[in-house]
Amino acid sequence: MPKRGGKHAEMGREMRAECKRAKVEAACSPSVMSFESPDSLFGTLISPIKQEVFFREYWEQKPLLVQRNDPLLAAYYQSLFQLSDLKELCSQGLYYGRDINICRCVNGKKKVLNKEGKVNYMQLKKDFDQKKATIQFHQPQRFKEELWKIQEKLECYFGSLVGSNVYITPRGSQGLPPHYDDVEPGDLLYFPRGTIHQADTPLGVSYSTHVTISTYQNNSWGDFLLDTIPGLVFDTAKEVVELRTSIPRQLLMQVDIADSTKNLSSLLRRLADRLENTRELRSSDMKKDFIMNRLPPCLGCDSAPLTPGGKLPKIDSKIRLQFRDHAVITVEPDHENSDDIRREMVYVYHSLKNRRESHMMGTDEDTASEEGTAQQIHGLRFPLSYLDALKQIWSSSTVHVKELNLISDAEKENLALSLWTECLIEVI
């Protein structure tokens, strides 16, 4: 799977379609974000546009500008990140390129004005004031708790990584080409993939700040097929003899394989037939990539690591799953068995111990070793016979340990205790 980087690429081909402006009365606007659930958070972000309308009419189709004349909402948006925040953050050790880019739009092209090494705030402010350079700050959710709260909920809502960048542009300047909309504090812009955009700060305003939040990178049907088809082929080949038949002699040496495409098409139809009749389609790499790199839960913005609490689960205990949106179940070959014939195991991966500080910052080996930001995947490993019991826990609001679909009481208690130790379940 491709690794996620902190610096999102500038978007696709130029598009001149005007945003449809949804003008909203102040009385309809929420005053604050609702963090009760991922669904409620997304609802307040796009309010008063209904979620079903957004996904039916705008999602991956056309831009949307939601204008809201709510001073409380505007003040909340402005508090997410300000130029003054950079002074404190620079003292913590920010680096050009990794954390901050200094750039200007010159003759329609982006010109990067970065220095080397650590960012000095006085030099940064000088470039901002005198060179009229835009400050691009990568992944501010690593430092700003309110953005952590927002993006963690959005990752739960979309089931995909959510990154962000902050752009601070001085008056009479722009940092990135080539299209802009006149957006006011409290407004929200949605762009489908491929929409080119920019921010321009007009004269009369000291500077402008906007936050871009993006998701669904490398999360298309094509990406999903690349992840799941190998497992489907592997499983189908156990039963379909044709998939285990040798390819034609010297096929790999031929330039034109037209004669073999008929056989290949037939095999692909067999795979499609099997897919229609199966309830299981394994996605392990995409699941692991998402879980390993996403934000940990934001629990009152307390960054202390989670520890098990409450009563130990026993055979008569009633349990329920915690952090459902932060854990996935996969079936994979045993990672710890190097034999040619590898038995399948069930893996439960979770993001409860992930490091917020390295979220969406890629896997640069030099940076990881220097700053200690390398992510690792956390989870548990069980025999394949535990799969049905795990599905019970994941699909039920509550379940009694003694009712888990396992043979012995010892296995039932072992499963519950293992999940409790990882803070994935609680006893109620």
Side-chain angles (χ1 to χ4, degrees):
M1 290 294 298
K3 299 302 181 185
R4 281 6 185 221
K7 310 162 188 65
H8 293 295
E10 304 308 321
M11 294 202 176
R13 63 179 64 88
E14 185 160 3
M15 175 177 171
R16 295 183 180 177
E18 289 285 330
C19 284
K20 180 177 180 180
R21 295 169 181 261
K23 299 229 177 192
V24 182
E25 297 298 326
C28 299
S29 300
S31 58
V32 292
M33 297 291 104
S34 170
F35 291 95
E36 182 178 344
S37 68
D39 188 80
S40 66
L41 183 275
F42 185 73
T44 52
L45 274 178
I46 65 170
S47 177
I49 303 296
K50 300 298 183 184
Q51 295 184 46
E52 59 270 20
V53 173
F54 173 78
F55 285 104
R56 184 178 67 243
E57 298 183 11
Y58 296 99
W59 177 251
E60 294 193 309
Q61 297 175 64
K62 59 184 177 181
L64 169 68
L65 170 58
V66 180
Q67 292 184 303
R68 293 175 283 207
N69 301 316
D70 186 332
L72 291 178
L73 186 61
Y76 173 79
Y77 276 1
Q78 289 173 315
S79 72
L80 293 179
F81 200 95
Q82 300 179 19
L83 180 60
S84 58
D85 292 327
L86 284 174
K87 188 171 185 178
E88 169 62 25
L89 293 178
C90 284
S91 68
Q92 298 180 28
L94 302 181
Y95 287 84
Y96 285 104
R98 187 192 71 180
D99 302 300
I100 283 181
N101 276 336
I102 304 297
C103 52
R104 278 206 68 180
C105 181
V106 180
N107 297 324
K109 295 183 179 181
K110 176 182 175 181
K111 182 177 181 181
V112 178
L113 307 173
N114 287 352
K115 305 293 189 298
E116 294 290 333
K118 285 188 177 183
V119 179
N120 177 279
Y121 178 74
M122 297 305 295
Q123 180 64 53
L124 184 70
K125 191 67 166 60
K126 181 179 178 181
D127 290 339
F128 182 78
D129 292 334
Q130 298 182 7
K131 296 183 180 179
K132 301 297 181 184
T134 287
I135 299 172
Q136 180 185 21
F137 185 57
H138 302 303
Q139 309 307 334
Q141 71 279 3
R142 295 177 293 146
F143 305 96
K144 297 291 288 184
E145 292 183 346
E146 202 66 17
L147 285 170
W148 175 18
K149 287 173 61 179
I150 291 172
Q151 290 175 236
E152 184 260 326
K153 282 291 188 289
L154 289 178
E155 287 186 333
C156 293
Y157 183 84
F158 286 104
S160 175
L161 294 177
V162 174
S164 66
N165 281 311
V166 168
Y167 297 88
I168 306 175
T169 303
R171 81 177 117 196
S173 179
Q174 69 181 64
L176 303 171
H179 169 80
Y180 84 93
D181 292 274
D182 52 331
V183 185
E184 300 296 330
D187 291 350
L188 179 138
L189 270 167
Y190 163 72
F191 292 120
R193 181 187 292 110
T195 306
I196 293 177
H197 62 283
Q198 74 181 32
D200 175 84
T201 303
L203 294 172
V205 178
S206 57
Y207 64 89
S208 68
T209 303
H210 72 277
V211 180
T212 65
I213 296 177
S214 59
T215 189
Y216 263 63
Q217 183 187 23
N218 301 327
N219 224 48
S220 67
W221 277 114
D223 297 308
F224 189 68
L225 284 172
L226 289 171
D227 186 40
T228 56
I229 288 298
L232 179 64
V233 173
F234 181 81
D235 290 339
T236 307
K238 297 176 183 177
E239 303 175 13
V240 178
V241 174
E242 288 81 357
L243 280 169
R244 303 198 304 270
T245 303
S246 299
I247 62 176
R249 186 172 58 87
Q250 295 187 341
L251 177 64
L252 301 180
M253 301 165 62
Q254 296 174 11
V255 175
D256 186 357
I257 61 168
D259 293 340
S260 298
T261 55
K262 184 176 181 180
N263 287 338
L264 187 57
S265 298
S266 176
L267 292 173
L268 288 173
R269 292 188 188 96
R270 295 289 295 270
L271 288 175
D273 291 340
R274 181 180 176 88
L275 186 58
E276 287 187 356
N277 297 308
T278 185
R279 296 179 59 190
E280 302 288 343
L281 188 58
R282 299 178 189 175
S283 168
S284 58
D285 287 343
M286 286 183 73
K287 283 185 176 181
K288 285 190 289 187
D289 184 72
F290 172 50
I291 288 295
M292 181 173 67
N293 291 291
R294 65 167 301 184
L295 284 163
C298 184
L299 305 174
C301 293
D302 181 4
S303 58
L306 281 168
T307 55
K311 295 181 292 185
L312 282 167
K314 303 291 185 181
I315 192 64
D316 293 321
S317 298
K318 187 179 182 181
I319 60 174
R320 67 181 173 194
L321 184 65
Q322 296 190 110
F323 308 109
R324 184 183 305 273
D325 293 330
H326 284 267
V328 297
I329 302 171
T330 71
V331 176
E332 305 171 37
D334 187 357
H335 300 168
E336 299 182 9
N337 190 337
S338 59
D339 296 342
D340 291 337
I341 300 176
R342 299 172 66 184
R343 60 177 178 166
E344 291 185 325
M345 302 289 288
V346 182
Y347 289 86
V348 177
Y349 298 117
H350 64 80
S351 57
L352 306 187
K353 300 177 184 178
N354 283 6
R355 290 174 53 83
R356 167 196 174 197
E357 296 80 7
S358 54
H359 181 245
M360 296 297 287
M361 293 303 291
T363 55
D364 184 279
E365 294 182 2
D366 294 333
T367 301
S369 60
E370 180 182 346
E371 302 293 331
T373 58
Q375 289 279 32
Q376 65 182 72
I377 195 158
H378 304 281
L380 299 165
R381 165 180 169 271
F382 300 101
L384 192 59
S385 59
Y386 280 55
L387 180 59
D388 287 342
L390 285 164
K391 288 182 177 179
Q392 272 182 276
I393 298 171
W394 255 251
S395 61
S396 305
S397 56
T398 61
V399 64
H400 285 89
V401 175
K402 62 185 176 184
E403 295 176 354
L404 292 175
N405 192 3
L406 286 166
I407 295 175
S408 69
D409 287 352
E411 287 179 315
K412 296 173 184 179
E413 285 195 354
N414 174 64
L415 173 57
L417 183 59
S418 298
L419 295 173
W420 179 85
T421 303
E422 290 289 297
C423 303
L424 291 171
I425 63 166
E426 63 177 340
V427 178
I428 56 175

